[in-house]
């Protein structure tokens, strides 16, 4: 498969009080193929949303760069790329301007990018409203008249309007009721097929990820700790942190399997990350080496890479 | 989150309903309507009764009320009623214009500071804080005392009535924009972090587009309330400055400068001191109550005031 | 804390510096210049004499140079000479400052006490009759033109009733305490009334908010008397925003003092600034305005300190 988006050694740092630095994302490299769905998984504070914002052009990387359709994204190439990379947010109540009718919301990316005429944009909005399964009269109504699930459909329609190649979906389901989640998930699958889309699907919930994605990237404290095909990751996680995340997923008909103990404590502050492997303070397998040396991401197989000195299944 | 999620009626309809229940707000709206009608009545009065507000008649000084001159004559033998009406036009016009000009300055400063943040925000807010700390009245007096010819205006213009009018609009608006700027900045900071603003930014919306399309419409309600309250304050400033002789200059009347001579005349013609001040008072209190009513109507959580 | 005061003082100094430059320029834009007055009183002055005078007084220099010159002198406490008073500016300022401080402090204390009483009694039962009356009165207070209020007081108490003197700080030849006191009543009352309205609204709003808070409910549940709940538990928290607003209102208070002094002929800072601008007394106007700014900046700094003292969560 050809690469659609390349993330090359991207770091995002924020200045904090007292001259300190929050290392929200640290030297992450990833790529997304055309038509592929990559999940970005981690706890809150892992930097997954920050990385998503960087991909959506909302946050400039401190170092490293992005490549889209083979072209490095710079100040001069971003404007053209923006119509091809869209974003869907978590909170369907905050994602739609309460003072805009739905038709304007959906057509906004076209308006901003000056694509088509006012008339063709309205037509496009009407077409998309039907595609995402909303009644046609939704066009002239306002966001407050819709439920959470309907709003998320509107947000998806908005993202689809400029015919993008990649949609960054920042926890698009977690604010929705469980019964609505599957509907929206199905809609996302459906439009992926009809529009030949790639997704960067950000989530803290591995159960949801299992239904949609091709590959999974696991972030911890801004570092990429494991990236693997979905099947490989779920069958045999290589990183102790991935294992812990998988264990936390409740599954019907199965007792919680505990492998090698749970992880202790809370995630350290990204202001003051641990030395060596950032996970060593909570890792059941940690040794002296882990606190001293940063593990590099290395390939275990064609479909699985891990950043760990002592990966699972290798001993 | 919208609190009207289940109700399919417009936000403005709801607001109007809430406002109608606000008794003092409604009363103020009515009083302001009457006041506007009163000051506009100068035109028919001038036309049909043939009263000229500027013509002095030294034989008619302090004449008591009569059928022709309902409120009598002032110290120069001019009709008090018509001068009150025209003075009111000037005072209200200054109030609205200076609020608009100052408000636009405040909105621009506030939106820019809030939206761009960072160093620009720091500089603009330091500046605003500095302005807020100043004693405004002495500053306004200095500004009012400036000799316009030294700024390069012609002597004719500098001493015309129009210059007096526009000078006061300008000086009040360059001094009284700080409250709105702070308010707008705070509101902008809130809206800026909403996802719909982020989404538009991700689509490539320019800063101007974001401010015009997403930010200003969503902070319109606090701006409206704040503008209303500013009108009251500006009318007070105008009256004070004109009273002290640094605002609207006679013969053009304003409620403020009609009180100019009233202090010396307070023993001979107390009525002349009462009317203009009472009109200022009623106008400003009505404007303030209107602002209170709007606040109540726009903010569903707000307390009811009587 | 010490660092905070230092930083804020430096900030205030910077604002003062900028203001001095702005005001210096503005004063230069007022009608006439110091020489005009001299020339007017000496019609025989030839253009050469005028030019020499200009050179002597440095008026032919660019404004920036003149400003630097003035600033250098000002730093050494030389604020120049007041033309109308024929005295050094500092000697005119000092007694005026005293009159203003007296007027402002007394009326400030009165409005704080009044607004606390009114605001709290209104907040006890929001929407009740007391609240209605207090709110109405407070709105009247913020809406009344101060100078007109003064005028009406003079009309009623001096002209009609002859109870109180209309102007001045004492009768000629009578330096008794009673005489001074009687002369202060109307100016103080006017200024206090004008400020009480705004303060009351803040006290009321802040108090209503605090009385709804959980810790106040807890205090009630523990069986404290209502008076203790309101005065001890609620008031301290309610005062935090109120103190800030009150101290930040010093600029407004000074504007009010200017009007009150002018109306009742009190020889304070406000009247002095007003008179000096009217009579082109540039040095006095400049120094008076800067002094007023300095006092306001200092009061703002005190507001911040009081804020930190009342709210232990704030570390300065």
């Amino acid at each position: 498969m050809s690469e659609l988006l390349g993330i090359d050694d991207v770091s995002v740092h924020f200045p904090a009080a007292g001259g300190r630095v929050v290392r929200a994302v640290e030297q992450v490299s990833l790529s997304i193929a055309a038509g592929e769905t990559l999940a970005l998984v981690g706890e809150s504070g892992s930097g997954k949303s920050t990385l998503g914002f960087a991909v959506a052009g909302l946050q400039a990387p401190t170092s490293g760069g992005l490549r889209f359709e083979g072209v490095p994204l710079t100040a001069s190439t971003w404007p053209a790329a923006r119509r091809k990379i869209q974003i869907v947010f978590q909170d369907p109540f905050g994602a739609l301007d309460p003072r805009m009718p739905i038709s304007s919301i959906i057509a906004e990316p076209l308006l901003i990018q000056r694509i088509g005429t006012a008339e063709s944009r309205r037509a496009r909005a009407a077409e998309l409203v039907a595609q995402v399964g909303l009644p046609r009269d939704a066009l002239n109504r306002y966001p407050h008249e819709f439920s959470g699930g309907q709003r998320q459909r509107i947000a998806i329609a908005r993202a689809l309007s400029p015919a993008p190649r990649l949609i960054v979906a920042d926890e698009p389901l977690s604010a929705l009721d469980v019964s609505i989640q599957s509907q929206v998930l199905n809609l996302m699958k459906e439009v992926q097929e009809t529009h030949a889309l790639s997704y960067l699907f950000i989530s803290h919930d591995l159960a949801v990820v299992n239904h949609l994605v091709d590959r999974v990237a696991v972030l911890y404290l801004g570092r990429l700790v494991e990236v693997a095909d979905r099947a490989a990751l779920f069958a045999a996680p290589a990183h102790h942190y991935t294992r812990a995340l998988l264990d936390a997923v409740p599954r019907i008909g199965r007792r919680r399997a505990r492998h090698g103990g749970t992880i202790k404590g809370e995630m350290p502050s990204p202001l003051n990350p641990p030395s060596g492997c950032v996970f060593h303070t909570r890792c059941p397998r940690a040794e002296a080496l882990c606190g001293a040396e940063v593990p590099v991401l290395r390939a275990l197989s064609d479909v699985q890479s891990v950043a760990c000195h002592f990966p699972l299944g290798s001993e | 989150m919208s609190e009207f999620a289940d109700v399919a009626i417009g936000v403005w309809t709801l607001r109007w309903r809430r406002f109608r229940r606000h008794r003092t707000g409604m009363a103020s709206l009515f009083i302001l309507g009457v006041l506007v009608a009163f000051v506009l009545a100068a035109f028919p009065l001038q036309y049909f009764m043939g009263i000229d507000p500027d013509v002095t008649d030294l034989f008619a000084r302090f004449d008591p009320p009569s059928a022709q001159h309902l409120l009598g004559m002032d110290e120069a033998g001019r009709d008090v009623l018509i001068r009150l009406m025209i003075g009111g036009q000037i005072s209200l016009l200054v109030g609205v214009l200076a609020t608009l000009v100052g408000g636009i300055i405040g909105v621009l400063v506030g939106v820019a500071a809030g939206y761009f943040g960072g160093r620009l925000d720091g500089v603009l807010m330091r500046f605003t804080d500095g302005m807020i700390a100043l004693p405004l009245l002495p500053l306004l007096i200095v500004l009012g005392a400036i000799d316009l010819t030294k700024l390069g205006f012609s002597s004719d213009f500098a001493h015309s009535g129009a210059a007096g009018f526009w000078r006061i609009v300008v000086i009040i608006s360059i001094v009284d924009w700080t409250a709105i700027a702070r308010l707008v900045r705070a509101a902008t900071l809130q809206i800026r972090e909403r996802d719909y603003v982020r989404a538009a930014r991700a689509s490539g919306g320019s800063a101007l587009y974001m401010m015009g399309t997403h930010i200003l419409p969503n902070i319109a309600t606090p701006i409206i309330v704040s503008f209303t309250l500013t009108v009251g304050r500006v009318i007070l400033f105008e009256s004070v400055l004109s009273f002290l002789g640094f605002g609207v200059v006679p013969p053009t009347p304003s409620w403020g400068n009609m009180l100019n001579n009233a202090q010396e005349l307070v023993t001979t013609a107390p009525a002349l001191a009462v009317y203009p001040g009472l009109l200022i008072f009623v106008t400003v209190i009505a404007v303030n109550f209107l602002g209170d009513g709007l606040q109540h109507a726009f903010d569903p959580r707000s307390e009811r005031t009587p | 804390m010490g660092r905070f005061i230092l930083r804020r003082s430096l900030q205030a100094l910077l604002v003062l510096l900028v203001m001095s430059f702005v005001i210096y320029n503005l004063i230069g834009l007022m009608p006439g210049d110091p020489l005009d007055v001299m020339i007017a009183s000496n019609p025989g002055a030839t253009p050469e004499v005028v030019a020499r005078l200009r050179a002597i007084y440095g008026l032919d220099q660019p404004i920036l140079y003149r400003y630097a010159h003035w600033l250098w002198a000002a730093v050494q406490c030389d604020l120049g000479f007041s033309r109308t008073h024929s005295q050094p500016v500092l000697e005119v300022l000092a007694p005026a400052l005293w009159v203003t401080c007296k007027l402002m402090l007394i009326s400030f204390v009165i409005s704080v006490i009044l607004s606390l009483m009114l605001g709290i009694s209104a907040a006890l039962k929001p929407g009740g009759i007391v609240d209605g009356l207090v709110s109405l009165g407070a709105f009247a207070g913020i809406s009344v033109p101060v100078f007109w209020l003064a005028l009406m007081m003079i009309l009623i108490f001096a002209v009609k009733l002859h109870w109180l003197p209309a102007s001045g700080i004492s009768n000629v030849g009578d330096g008794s305490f009673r005489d001074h006191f009687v002369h202060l009543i109307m100016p103080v009352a006017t200024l206090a009334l004008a400020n009480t309205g705004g303060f009351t609204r803040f006290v009321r709003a802040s108090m209503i908010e605090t009385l709804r808070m959980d810790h106040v409910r807890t205090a009630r549940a523990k069986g404290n008397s209502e008076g203790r709940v309101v005065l001890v538990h609620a008031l301290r928290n309610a005062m935090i925003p109120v103190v800030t607003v009150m101290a930040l209102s010093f600029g407004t208070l000074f504007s009010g003092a200017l009007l009150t002094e002018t109306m009742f002929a009190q020889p304070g800072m406000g009247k002095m600034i007003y008179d000096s601008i009217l009579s082109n007394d540039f040095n006095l106007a400049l120094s008076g305005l800067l002094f007023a700014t300095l006092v306001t900046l200092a009061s703002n700094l005190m507001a911040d300190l009081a804020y930190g003292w009342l709210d232990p969560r704030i570390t300065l």
Side-chain angles (χ1 to χ4, degrees), chain A residues 240 243-244 247 257-264 279 282-285:
Chain A
H240 299 274
R243 153 68 52 76
D247 284 350
R258 296 270 190 230
H259 309 263
T262 53
I263 54 173
K264 316 164 284 233
F279 188 58
R282 299 167 78 191
C283 185
R285 180 71 181 78

Side-chain angles (χ1 to χ4, degrees), chain B residues 169-192:
Chain B
V169 169
V170 169
I171 66 176
I172 292 179
S173 46
I174 60 176
V175 162
D176 194 350
W177 51 266
T178 50
I180 290 179
R182 289 190 73 102
L183 182 103
V184 166
R185 171 179 175 270
T188 304
L189 281 178
Q190 268 181 15
I191 302 291
R192 183 181 72 165

Side-chain angles (χ1 to χ4, degrees), chain A residues 12-24 26 62 269-273:
Chain A
V12 183
H13 298 168
F14 298 108
R20 296 195 293 176
V21 169
V22 178
R23 297 170 182 273
E26 189 75 3
T62 314
S269 160
L271 265 173
N272 192 13

Side-chain angles (χ1 to χ4, degrees), chain C residues 33-252:
Chain C
D33 68 34
L35 271 192
D36 287 352
V37 189
M38 281 187 224
I39 298 161
S41 57
N42 189 358
T46 60
E48 290 85 56
V49 174
V50 173
R52 263 181 55 204
L53 279 171
R54 277 190 181 282
I56 289 170
Y57 286 90
L59 288 170
D60 53 347
Q61 304 287 345
I63 186 131
L64 213 62
Y65 175 86
R66 268 154 52 203
Y67 169 71
H69 203 75
W70 171 86
L71 188 66
W72 179 239
V75 171
Q76 294 163 318
C77 277
D78 175 12
L79 294 173
F81 208 72
S82 161
R83 202 172 51 72
T84 43
H85 293 259
S86 302
Q87 269 178 324
V89 163
L90 267 179
E91 277 169 43
V92 185
L93 271 177
L97 194 64
W98 166 238
V99 171
T100 301
C101 281
K102 199 167 55 177
L103 179 65
M104 278 171 66
L105 278 178
I106 300 176
S107 20
F108 184 75
V109 169
I110 293 177
S111 12
V112 168
I113 295 172
L114 262 181
S115 62
L116 280 178
M117 293 193 320
L118 292 171
I120 292 174
S121 44
L124 288 179
K125 207 173 162 228
I129 298 170
V130 179
D131 185 30
L133 290 174
V134 168
S135 295
L136 203 68
F139 265 100
I142 57 171
S143 307
V144 71
V146 179
F147 65 97
W148 184 68
L149 184 63
L151 207 56
M152 290 302 103
M153 290 242 205
I154 294 175
L155 180 61
I156 296 168
F157 296 109
V159 176
K160 296 278 178 209
L161 299 172
H162 298 289
W163 285 357
L164 295 166
S167 66
I169 50 169
S170 64
N171 286 328
V172 182
D174 185 351
S176 70
F177 175 77
R178 191 184 167 279
D179 187 48
H180 277 283
F181 179 76
V182 166
H183 278 85
L184 258 181
I185 293 178
M186 280 211 289
V188 165
T190 307
L191 195 51
L193 275 182
N195 279 295
T196 305
F199 287 180
T200 305
R201 275 168 55 83
F202 275 108
V203 173
R204 174 186 173 274
S206 183
M207 204 60 193
I208 288 178
E209 193 134 311
T210 320
L211 282 172
R212 281 209 206 105
M213 288 207 265
D214 284 341
H215 77 270
V216 175
R217 232 177 270 160
T218 315
R220 270 208 191 102
K222 280 195 295 191
N224 281 303
S225 72
E226 187 62 26
R228 208 182 132 74
V229 168
V230 171
L231 293 178
V232 177
H233 293 268
L235 190 59
R236 184 181 162 117
N237 282 284
M239 281 309 283
I240 294 171
V242 172
V243 164
T244 321
V245 168
M246 283 177 174
L248 284 177
S249 70
F250 244 68
T252 320

Side-chain angles (χ1 to χ4, degrees), chain A residues 53 56-59 78-79 82-83 85-87 89-91 93-100 104 108-109 111-113 144-146 151 158 162, chain B residues 1-2 4-12 15 194-206 209-210 213-215 217-221:
Chain A
F53 280 9
L58 286 170
Q59 175 67 54
W78 252 119
R82 282 192 188 276
R83 63 174 288 193
I85 305 176
Q86 292 290 312
I87 185 163
F89 292 97
Q90 171 178 7
D91 174 16
F93 289 93
L96 311 177
D97 189 333
R99 303 205 176 242
M100 274 193 175
S104 305
E108 189 185 30
L111 176 73
I112 291 176
Q113 296 276 338
H144 68 82
E145 301 173 47
F146 296 91
R151 288 182 195 215
R158 180 194 188 283
Chain B
M1 222 174 98
S2 167
F4 310 119
D6 306 325
V7 204
I9 44 174
V11 176
W12 288 101
R15 287 177 172 169
R194 297 279 163 86
D195 284 343
Y196 56 81
V197 176
R198 287 209 179 103
R201 221 167 71 214
S203 300
S206 64
Y209 171 86
M210 311 293 260
T213 312
H214 291 299
I215 295 185
N218 279 296
I219 59 175
T221 49

